[in-house]
Amino acid sequence: MATILGRGFIFSSCLITLTVVAIGQATFASNSGVTYQGRILKPNGEALEGANVQFRMQIRTPNGASCLMYEEAQALDMRNSKGNFSLTINDGSGSRIDSTALTLDRVFANRGSFNLNPSTCNSGSGSYTPNESDGRTLLVLFKDETMSSWEPIPSQKINFVPLAFESKQVQGF
C-alpha cells in the first residue's frame, strides 16, 4: 500500500486488481475490469466520508501525449468508510463518459493503431501505436458534495497484469 500526497489530500492506494470471469466468451468479455482501491484523507487528517463522492476514472496512453482511451464516472456513499473505497472499471455500476467507443479489451490491446481525439491529449495528433510491452496510465479524479472542483489522485501506471486482457485474444480474436 502506497501513500501519495496531492494538494493537501493524502491518498493511500493499492492499485489494480484484475477482475476477469472465465465462464464463457460473451461473459468473459463483458466482465473484464480493473479494480482500484484506496483511501482518501482530508488535509486535516480526517477521512473523506461524503455521502456522494463522485469519481472519474480515466485510462490514458502511456506516452507523453497521454490521450484519453476510456473514461467512466461512478458515485459512492463513503459515509462510515474511514476514507476507504474500491472501484471497478467496467463492472456496470458506472457511466461511460468518453466518446472513443473502445471496449476495455481493445484499450489494453497492444496491436494495431489508435486514432484518438487530439483534444483529449496533452499533446500530439491523437495517433497512438503501442509497443508490445506498453502498459497504460490510470488517472482517478474525485470530488464530494463540499468540493467545487475535481481533485486528481496522482496518475499511476497499469502494467502487465491487466494486459491479461490481451492474452485471452489470439491475433485479435
Side-chain angles (χ1 to χ4, degrees):
M1 178 117 25
T3 300
I4 304 165
L5 298 174
R7 293 194 195 156
F9 284 90
I10 299 172
F11 310 101
S12 293
S13 63
C14 178
L15 176 63
I16 310 305
T17 301
L18 180 62
T19 305
V20 181
V21 177
I23 294 173
Q25 190 171 14
T27 301
F28 194 31
S30 66
N31 288 331
S32 296
V34 178
T35 298
Y36 182 75
Q37 301 171 332
R39 184 172 190 218
I40 303 172
L41 300 176
K42 297 178 186 177
N44 64 5
E46 293 178 12
L48 180 72
E49 293 190 311
N52 184 25
V53 181
Q54 305 290 316
F55 288 89
R56 288 176 39 206
M57 298 170 291
Q58 300 178 349
I59 299 174
R60 296 184 156 272
T61 60
N63 59 3
S66 185
C67 296
L68 181 66
M69 300 181 83
Y70 186 101
E71 184 173 22
E72 185 174 305
Q74 290 189 25
L76 291 178
D77 181 347
M78 289 183 55
R79 291 178 287 191
N80 302 312
S81 69
K82 298 182 182 174
N84 295 307
F85 66 91
S86 180
L87 304 163
T88 299
I89 297 171
N90 198 39
D91 70 353
S93 65
S95 300
R96 184 84 184 259
I97 56 176
D98 67 276
S99 60
T100 66
L102 296 170
T103 65
L104 206 55
D105 290 341
R106 179 66 181 119
V107 165
F108 286 104
N110 280 344
R111 59 182 156 65
S113 295
F114 295 89
N115 291 311
L116 304 163
N117 184 341
S119 70
T120 68
C121 304
N122 290 343
S123 64
S125 65
S127 179
Y128 170 60
T129 303
N131 294 316
E132 63 186 31
S133 62
D134 276 358
R136 301 294 183 267
T137 300
L138 176 67
L139 178 63
V140 178
L141 303 104
F142 72 93
K143 70 177 184 173
D144 72 5
E145 56 273 6
T146 67
M147 301 167 65
S148 60
S149 62
W150 291 95
E151 181 72 26
I153 295 174
S155 64
Q156 298 188 27
K157 301 291 182 196
I158 301 175
N159 291 320
F160 309 105
V161 173
L163 293 176
F165 293 133
E166 178 68 7
S167 70
K168 71 180 183 180
Q169 303 175 49
V170 176
Q171 296 291 320
F173 298 101

